[in-house]
Amino acid sequence: MENNCDLTLLEPVLEKYAGQKENLITVLQKTQEIYGYLPKAALYLIAERTGRSPAQVMGVATFYAQFTLNPVGKYLIMLCRGTACHVNSSEAIARAITEKYGIEDGETTPDGLFTLKHVACLGCCSLSPVMTVNGEVYGSLTPQSAIKILDDIKAGEGAL
């Protein structure tokens, strides 16, 4: 997939923010919206066009949980592993997802539907344990309710 990365899709974003170092996060967000992840070739081009070093761009891309450097499934599951979620059994939810869908942190289901990503904090501590699926927040989860949410999404895809 990396070799087929059409960098011309990124041109409007790069033109808008060319030379503006302070907008790096915005450029990375828009890049991820275009490709679904941050292709390495795009990161090098972003560095060149925003006046940053490739190391600086990569540092930002790897620091924030919202960014991913690998292609993801149609649905990105971000499972919070922060203190509140940990105390409220996020590990049991992670085990349930792994058992049901056969994916660990950073992996994608063979059908390309789900990618699981453990994150340090989603900022929804009062709803713990919590996960997001493509940005939609699901809180006060149990292993059973988390699986039901994912099963419902899968059913909606006509994949069950």
Side-chain angles (χ1 to χ4, degrees), residues 56-76:
Q56 289 173 315
V57 173
M58 183 64 82
V60 172
T62 57
F63 180 78
Y64 293 100
Q66 68 181 296
F67 298 124
T68 181
L69 301 177
N70 298 306
V72 296
K74 183 172 182 180
Y75 297 95
L76 176 59

Side-chain angles (χ1 to χ4, degrees), residues 75 101 111 113-114 149-160:
Y75 297 95
Y101 288 100
D111 62 5
L113 197 59
F114 295 117
I149 290 163
L150 299 178
D151 285 348
D152 288 350
I153 290 169
K154 188 171 182 175
E157 291 290 319
L160 279 181

Side-chain angles (χ1 to χ4, degrees), residues 20 36 61 68 83 119 135 146 157:
Q20 299 180 28
T68 181
T83 303
V119 297
E157 291 290 319

Side-chain angles (χ1 to χ4, degrees), residues 26 28 33:
T26 302
L28 292 173
E33 286 173 18

Side-chain angles (χ1 to χ4, degrees), residues 69-125:
L69 301 177
N70 298 306
V72 296
K74 183 172 182 180
Y75 297 95
L76 176 59
I77 306 160
M78 297 180 83
L79 180 61
C80 185
R81 302 305 291 271
T83 303
C85 290
H86 175 75
V87 167
N88 287 304
S89 301
S90 65
E91 181 60 38
I93 295 165
R95 276 195 309 273
I97 293 170
T98 297
E99 289 171 13
K100 172 75 184 214
Y101 288 100
I103 53 173
E104 302 275 351
D105 181 29
E107 296 179 342
T108 301
T109 55
D111 62 5
L113 197 59
F114 295 117
T115 296
L116 177 62
K117 184 173 182 183
H118 295 176
V119 297
C121 184
L122 289 170
C124 304
C125 300

